[in-house]
Amino acid sequence: MKPLANADLLKNPTLIKISALLLLTVASFYLGKHWSNDSYHQLLFFSSSSSSSSSIPKISISPNSNKTFNLSAIIPSNNTTTQIPIPIPKEANPPTPIPSPPPPIRSFGVVDENGVMSDDFEVGEVENVEDWGNQTETVESKSEPARFRIKKFGMCPESMREYIPCLDNDDAIKELQSTERGEKFERHCPEKGKGLSCLVPPPKDYRQPIPWPRSRDEVWFSNVPHTRLVEDKGGQNWISRDTRDKNKFKFPGGGTQFIHGADQYLDQMSKMVSDITFGKHIRVAMDVGCGVASFGAYLLSRDVLTMSVAPKDVHENQIQFALERGVPAMAAAFATRRLLYPSQAFDLIHCSRCRINWTRDDGILLLEINRMLRAGGYFAWAAQPVYKHEAALEEQWTEMLNLTNSLCWNLVKKEGYIAIWQKPLNNTCYLSREAGTKQPLCEESDDPDNVWYTNLKPCISRIPENGYGGNVPSWPARLHTPPDRLQTITFDSYIARKELFKAESKFWNEIIGGYIRAMKWKKMKLRNVMDMKAGFGGFAAALNDHKLDCWVLSVVPISGPNTLPVIYDRGLLGVMHDWCEPFDTYPRTYDFLHASGLFSVERKRCEMSTILLEMDRILRPGGRAYIRDSIDVMDEIQEITKAMGWHTSLRDTSEGPHASYRILTCEKRLLKA
């Protein structure tokens, strides 16, 4: 074989590759050594001796020998610290001490310390913010035309801590021509531009409310610091001050006519009338002149929702006590206007020493009871005329009998302190009365569900000939049965109403299921809940289906269709309201406010700040609000809630980031001036 020439060697591809690899290796080692310095902890694996006597490569010691580094600052590791031993030279400084692991971080939400959604979190105490201040701060916006916006709402004066704007309007009450029929206890709202413009302060030592079911029997004195009811009604087992802990009120469960307890009283009613089956045939009740609402509180354990109502009168804090206990209640008066509930709403209406003269003005107040009482429903009256035999009281009993007879009510049973009547199922009795009988039937044109600022009418509301409203199923079947009165609502759709009803229920059931999983709703202290734009009541029904231990007041705004009859036919509680006006409840009475699609509708009628300030008034410190609405209203809502001191977080809906709706989750802090 001929030896290769020099030219042939250069053309050999294998030799060329080997040469290139050697050059690349030498260059890499040279650059690595050249760039190494004291400020960079590099690992050098090989070095050449400086001695000319030897050219043998030696393994050198890394400059990081015996040195430890804490990498937890750059590597997330669930609260654990990782030390990696790396050698350093002997002449280096002594090793730095290893820092102790940080304490575990307590999360108060659904986002952990790394900004990641977490399934493990705690529900914290109310955040306390001192020195919020009384001054409202404004700034001039840069938009054209220039306008002033609120940077921070100041606190209202201490005297307004229990302020109900439409019931505490002294200027309007002074101008009333008459107050003999209770007009001063009705709504008299501030004029436009004179409404609430500050944050209603809490009492000095306000505390997070005692959770349900303990709150049925005790509440903090510091949250409702009033002893008038203890002084007036303590002997009747309404309420007492805890002898061992003066910072608590106790509720023994009694009332003026049931001083031995509400349970015994309710058992007596069931025995008197076999058809009064609580939690089945009787699902929705009203307690008139409710006191501290023990009647409704004890019905809750029997699966009955009771709307407890009373005026803000000499016992003005009775409704406040009821709501602090976690019992449904509203400030309302039987005076000159219809109450804000629909016709045929209640299966049972109860009055125990409620201080109402039912026979005045030809029985116009009992006619209002008749309007709200479901066909076939019961009216229970516990009062002195029922059982005492004094001449004046016997005369009152006779007047009551005559009045109820003219209404075609049937006295089912009179026993002990209680008399129980039943309303007829149809109009047959009314139509068979003699001509000219007092309390005539209302005209067919009268809408018994028209209640917003509607005067009482001296006539008997007609029962629908088709039986709508009177033929509801028993509880719990009625919750998801599309009621007949769906067809009576003024609505765009007619044929598909039952499908819309079912679709709304399914929608909210899925949404609430998501809230429970992602936002740990079952760990939240939900008790008093308000749905501010309720539709058919699907939100309240979903909370019931998911077994959340709360009650919901479903509010139907006057700006939309009147769905209140459907809500009550389902066995839920609701009320009519205009959100451009204040709501008739005390400050700090709801744990959770839900507003879906409310602001995009109501902003055409009034300022969004009007609604949000009212939400702040009725929401408890530490309470939450979920606002689900279109993107175009969210910036302004966030701006206002920030000025109110709320914590907020804007989230995508389940439809994803490109949907036109967002959810603003809010938490109210405990602010102090």
Side-chain angles (χ1 to χ4, degrees), residues 40-91:
Y40 292 90
H41 300 294
Q42 304 275 347
L43 286 176
L44 301 181
F45 297 98
F46 295 94
S47 67
S48 297
S49 172
S50 59
S51 170
S52 60
S53 63
S54 177
S55 61
I56 300 172
K58 299 179 180 178
I59 298 175
S60 66
I61 299 173
S62 167
N64 296 325
S65 175
N66 297 324
K67 188 172 182 179
T68 59
F69 291 88
N70 183 354
L71 302 184
S72 63
I74 59 173
I75 301 177
S77 56
N78 294 329
N79 297 330
T80 60
T81 302
T82 304
Q83 280 100 23
I84 301 178
I86 304 176
I88 62 171
K90 294 179 181 178
E91 65 270 19

Side-chain angles (χ1 to χ4, degrees), residues 191-458:
E191 297 176 6
K192 189 174 182 179
K194 296 184 179 180
L196 196 64
S197 59
C198 53
L199 307 177
V200 175
K204 180 182 177 182
D205 298 316
Y206 183 85
R207 302 175 65 172
Q208 190 170 19
I210 294 172
W212 182 267
R214 279 176 51 211
S215 62
R216 189 195 73 171
D217 301 324
E218 60 181 20
V219 301
W220 297 120
F221 170 81
S222 55
N223 289 7
V224 192
H226 300 283
T227 59
R228 173 70 184 268
L229 278 177
V230 176
E231 296 161 3
D232 290 355
K233 301 294 183 179
Q236 298 171 2
N237 260 354
W238 278 32
I239 182 174
S240 63
R241 189 88 174 267
D242 194 326
T243 55
R244 291 176 298 177
D245 184 355
K246 290 295 185 181
N247 198 32
K248 282 183 182 178
F249 285 116
K250 294 285 189 177
F251 301 93
T256 305
Q257 293 295 154
F258 46 96
I259 60 174
H260 299 299
D263 269 331
Q264 180 181 327
Y265 183 73
L266 294 170
D267 289 341
Q268 181 186 352
M269 291 177 64
S270 293
K271 291 175 183 176
M272 288 173 65
V273 181
S274 60
D275 197 38
I276 296 182
T277 51
F278 294 119
K280 294 180 180 179
H281 184 65
I282 305 297
R283 163 61 183 175
V284 188
M286 171 181 275
D287 187 19
V288 182
C290 61
V292 293
S294 288
F295 181 82
Y298 281 80
L299 274 174
L300 285 165
S301 62
R302 302 177 186 229
D303 230 358
V304 176
L305 289 176
T306 305
M307 177 58 73
S308 299
V309 298
K312 190 179 181 184
D313 57 9
V314 64
H315 298 139
E316 63 178 37
N317 298 103
Q318 52 193 325
I319 294 299
Q320 191 176 15
F321 276 117
L323 289 161
E324 186 71 16
R325 295 176 73 184
V327 180
M330 276 190 70
F334 283 82
T336 67
R337 301 185 193 131
R338 284 177 172 174
L339 274 69
L340 302 177
Y341 314 106
S343 65
Q344 299 199 78
F346 301 102
D347 309 315
L348 169 73
I349 298 180
H350 170 256
C351 159
S352 173
R353 295 286 287 274
C354 55
R355 302 174 64 194
I356 293 177
N357 180 4
W358 295 115
T359 59
R360 78 156 169 89
D361 296 332
D362 294 324
I364 196 167
L365 300 181
L366 203 63
L367 289 169
E368 176 63 358
I369 291 287
N370 183 77
R371 181 189 69 83
M372 296 186 293
L373 189 61
R374 194 175 300 280
Y378 296 93
F379 176 71
W381 190 40
Q384 289 183 341
V386 175
Y387 62 91
K388 284 196 171 182
H389 300 289
E390 300 172 11
L393 295 174
E394 287 183 341
E395 183 180 348
Q396 291 177 28
W397 171 250
T398 301
E399 291 175 355
M400 189 68 168
L401 277 181
N402 293 335
L403 177 58
T404 53
N405 286 336
S406 70
L407 297 180
C408 292
W409 287 7
N410 176 37
L411 178 60
V412 182
K413 195 71 175 284
K414 177 186 175 186
E415 180 181 291
Y417 300 146
I418 312 170
I420 300 177
W421 286 268
Q422 185 177 25
K423 178 180 175 178
L425 287 165
N426 52 51
N427 296 318
T428 302
C429 173
Y430 302 138
L431 297 173
S432 64
R433 297 180 308 167
E434 295 181 6
T437 302
K438 279 286 185 73
Q439 294 81 39
L441 277 175
C442 296
E443 298 293 332
E444 292 186 10
S445 60
D446 175 64
D447 180 3
D449 297 319
N450 179 18
V451 297
W452 189 247
Y453 287 113
T454 301
N455 290 332
L456 295 176
K457 298 189 176 182

Side-chain angles (χ1 to χ4, degrees), residues 95-121:
T96 56
I98 300 172
S100 60
I105 296 175
R106 299 179 68 206
S107 299
F108 297 97
V110 293
V111 179
D112 67 14
E113 63 274 15
N114 299 312
V116 179
M117 287 290 286
S118 169
D119 286 339
D120 185 19
F121 69 89

